Amino acid sequence: MKKKRGIRYTWLLWLTVIGLALPALPAKAEVQFSDVNAQNNGWAINSIYLMAQKQVLTGYPDGTFRPSQTISKAEWTTMIYRLFDKYRPNLYATGLQKIDGFADVSSQHWAYKPISEMYNQSFNWGVYGLSNMGELTFRPDAQLTRLQLADMLYSFFDTRMIDRRMSPNDVCSVVSEYKDIPIKMFEDKVKYDDAAKSDGRLDASGTALLQTNSVLPILFMGTGKSDCTFGSDAFSNAQASSLASLQVSGIMTGNELGYFRPMDKVTRAEAVTILNRIYNYLSKNYWLGDYSTIQLEGAGSGGTSGTGSGSTGSGIYNPDTSSLYPDWDTGSSIIGGNNSGSWSNDSIVNVRDYFDDKGVLNKNLKNGEIEAAILPKDNRYLTVDMKTDDEVDLYVILDGQIAHLTQKELPKTISVDGIKLVGFRTTQLKPNPLKVAGTPVTLTVKLDKEKPEPAKPGKKK
């Protein structure tokens, strides 16, 4: 990787930190806590009262909130469960994705319902593991450290908090700024693999340890932070991706001196602030409706001061719409409003699906609509095609302008001369919830410097 990419993300990191320093006004509170005040808790006061109003995290009978008290995994899970009332991954999971229960969370446990309805097999890192008896355990009463919470957040909300625009080198550059997160670089793959197996980072089931008294080093292949990439250790890759994404988005950050404080316990004040940031992040990405029906009045950044939470990060591409728009080869309608189903803003490009090296993306729409993007770079023409057996339309965004394409108009060649980014999103016209197999779709893109021969549109199967 080129050195300038590492410099670019280092600069982005500091811009994020500077932006987080802006104070937030406290929400109008219907409740008051005797131990919460602007002098001691100014960075969290907004989030504390927002969450208290919605009973996400409440105070104690003596009128205190106890902002410095630590939280357990069960308490964190309950907070997520209350705020994101539509988010129940294990409740709706089937087959191999379903977890039937944890040996240490009985049906009598006070947080049994949130825990049992939340965590399915997609929560790979830092959530559950095997006991010495080979039983699946959750450790509900374990007090969360900041690093453990960061690891858990990798899997939450369908991994949408992981910024997929960041290359492995970008991730390495951001994480390398932390003074208390150890990193090891390897130029030799054999030595890398030996290191991943030698420090006991995985339990008997091959998943990351639930709890450790030390911070295990993150392993990278490369020579330095401006020239590094992921290796074969999935734990290192996941932890690094989570730490970098949380830092750049501002959800969970280091302090102004470059310390993440990985082994510090997460306090109640930090927890509600991080929740506030997650809520804002999903809202700004237009994903909040997938997870919550709750409206937080006056939801703001909640302040920071290096507390482990930051302000909002977009995680989206919101381009400058002042650039020249493309010349469409045929009469596709250019849409100026919100005519794309769940899209709330026609200048937003969300990315959760990726083309392979041949420009092909295969997805079953029972797992959600396609949301993807490509960079035209120095190419001038884009040819897009879509194949599916069901009625599915395609929306294309070019630097802020959205166009609607039906299957009959595909394949189609579009001028992308001067366009910075092209986004794609499918919309299934008549989804059938009873169709077990779902709707497989193949989306294909091809970039050219010279105008290709005109494509012949037709119904795709």
Side-chain angles (χ1 to χ4, degrees):
M1 292 289 178
K2 294 182 178 179
K3 187 173 183 180
K4 66 179 182 180
R5 173 166 286 186
I7 294 173
R8 172 169 59 86
Y9 261 89
T10 300
W11 179 241
L12 174 59
L13 184 153
W14 284 112
L15 285 179
T16 303
V17 172
I18 292 170
L20 300 185
L22 297 176
L25 294 174
K28 182 180 179 181
E30 298 174 1
V31 293
Q32 293 291 330
F33 300 114
S34 60
D35 58 347
V36 174
N37 57 71
Q39 181 177 356
N40 297 325
N41 317 108
W43 57 270
I45 194 169
N46 190 50
S47 299
I48 288 172
Y49 284 120
L50 279 171
M51 299 304 166
Q53 288 169 7
K54 297 297 182 180
Q55 302 292 298
V56 173
L57 192 60
T58 60
Y60 291 87
D62 63 358
T64 62
F65 182 78
R66 303 178 192 176
S68 299
Q69 183 170 298
T70 59
I71 67 163
S72 67
K73 290 176 66 179
E75 289 170 328
W76 170 260
T77 302
T78 303
M79 292 162 64
I80 287 279
Y81 189 87
R82 290 172 178 171
L83 181 57
F84 301 100
D85 56 347
K86 294 170 65 177
Y87 187 46
R88 307 288 185 262
N90 198 52
L91 178 63
Y92 302 117
T94 58
L96 296 177
Q97 283 291 303
K98 185 97 174 166
I99 289 180
D100 293 329
F102 299 102
D104 55 353
V105 184
S106 73
S107 59
Q108 304 306 311
H109 192 282
W110 68 269
Y112 172 78
K113 185 176 177 65
I115 292 171
S116 62
E117 292 186 6
M118 185 70 64
Y119 300 107
N120 64 12
Q121 292 287 356
S122 69
F123 289 82
N124 298 317
W125 308 113
V127 175
Y128 48 75
L130 295 180
S131 69
N132 293 333
M133 303 295 293
E135 297 175 312
L136 193 64
T137 58
F138 181 75
R139 299 186 184 178
D141 301 320
Q143 300 300 296
L144 273 176
T145 68
R146 286 169 50 79
L147 185 59
Q148 288 167 351
L149 179 55
D151 287 341
M152 290 178 70
L153 290 177
Y154 179 90
S155 302
F156 271 98
F157 306 107
D158 311 301
T159 70
R160 278 176 160 171
M161 285 187 288
I162 305 303
D163 192 337
R164 303 298 180 183
R165 300 171 302 172
M166 298 175 68
S167 71
N169 198 123
D170 295 331
V171 169
C172 179
S173 297
V174 174
V175 176
S176 295
E177 296 295 325
Y178 286 129
K179 297 176 181 178
D180 52 359
I181 301 292
I183 289 176
K184 288 187 177 180
M185 296 281 182
F186 297 87
E187 296 183 60
D188 184 273
K189 185 179 183 300
V190 174
K191 292 182 179 179
Y192 175 102
D193 292 339
D194 287 344
K197 297 174 184 177
S198 64
D199 60 10
R201 63 183 56 215
L202 303 179
D203 63 18
S205 68
T207 50
L209 291 172
L210 286 181
Q211 217 167 5
T212 179
N213 293 323
S214 61
V215 182
L216 297 172
I218 296 175
L219 310 180
F220 286 104
M221 290 290 297
T223 59
K225 68 178 183 180
S226 62
D227 177 28
C228 58
T229 190
F230 291 154
S232 58
D233 179 37
F235 172 71
S236 288
N237 301 342
Q239 187 172 89
S241 297
S242 186
L243 286 170
S245 296
L246 293 172
Q247 170 68 42
V248 172
S249 68
I251 291 172
M252 203 171 175
T253 68
N255 63 22
E256 63 276 6
L257 298 177
Y259 291 93
F260 184 77
R261 298 179 290 116
M263 299 307 292
D264 283 6
K265 297 295 195 295
V266 179
T267 67
R268 284 163 56 87
E270 283 184 304
V272 293
T273 307
I274 292 168
L275 274 179
N276 190 3
R277 301 301 167 72
I278 292 172
Y279 182 97
N280 289 339
Y281 175 83
L282 294 172
S283 178
K284 286 181 177 292
N285 278 279
Y286 303 98
W287 292 329
L288 183 61
D290 293 342
Y291 306 107
S292 180
T293 64
I294 294 174
Q295 296 295 316
L296 295 181
E297 289 186 15
S301 66
T304 99
S305 298
T307 62
S309 53
S311 77
T312 57
S314 67
I316 54 180
Y317 187 88
N318 191 357
D320 178 5
T321 58
S322 64
S323 59
L324 294 176
Y325 292 127
D327 176 22
W328 293 79
D329 292 334
T330 61
S332 296
S333 58
I334 301 298
I335 301 172
N338 178 21
N339 293 302
S340 54
S342 63
W343 259 346
S344 301
N345 188 313
D346 62 4
S347 67
I348 298 300
V349 175
N350 293 324
V351 180
R352 62 181 300 179
D353 305 298
Y354 302 89
F355 295 95
D356 62 21
D357 56 2
K358 296 182 179 178
V360 179
L361 193 166
N362 292 296
K363 183 174 182 177
N364 194 313
L365 298 191
K366 71 178 182 179
N367 299 317
E369 300 288 352
I370 289 175
E371 293 179 290
I374 61 169
L375 299 170
K377 296 183 179 179
D378 58 347
N379 293 286
R380 299 176 58 205
Y381 295 94
L382 165 69
T383 301
V384 58
D385 198 5
M386 181 174 65
K387 296 182 180 180
T388 178
D389 289 333
D390 290 344
E391 294 185 59
V392 179
D393 284 358
L394 180 67
Y395 288 85
V396 183
I397 291 179
L398 299 99
D399 284 355
Q401 189 169 2
I402 186 170
H404 169 228
L405 295 173
T406 65
Q407 291 183 52
K408 293 180 180 180
E409 295 177 274
L410 298 171
K412 186 172 186 60
T413 297
I414 305 165
S415 170
V416 291
D417 192 13
I419 298 298
K420 298 176 183 178
L421 181 138
V422 181
F424 305 91
R425 191 184 196 280
T426 57
T427 296
Q428 192 172 5
L429 301 182
K430 298 178 180 179
N432 182 357
L434 300 178
K435 188 175 180 180
V436 177
T439 300
V441 173
T442 298
L443 184 63
T444 306
V445 294
K446 184 177 182 297
L447 290 165
D448 294 286
K449 288 182 172 61
E450 302 297 330
K451 189 172 183 178
E453 292 294 323
K456 295 181 179 180
K459 186 176 181 180
K460 297 296 160 188
K461 291 287 186 180

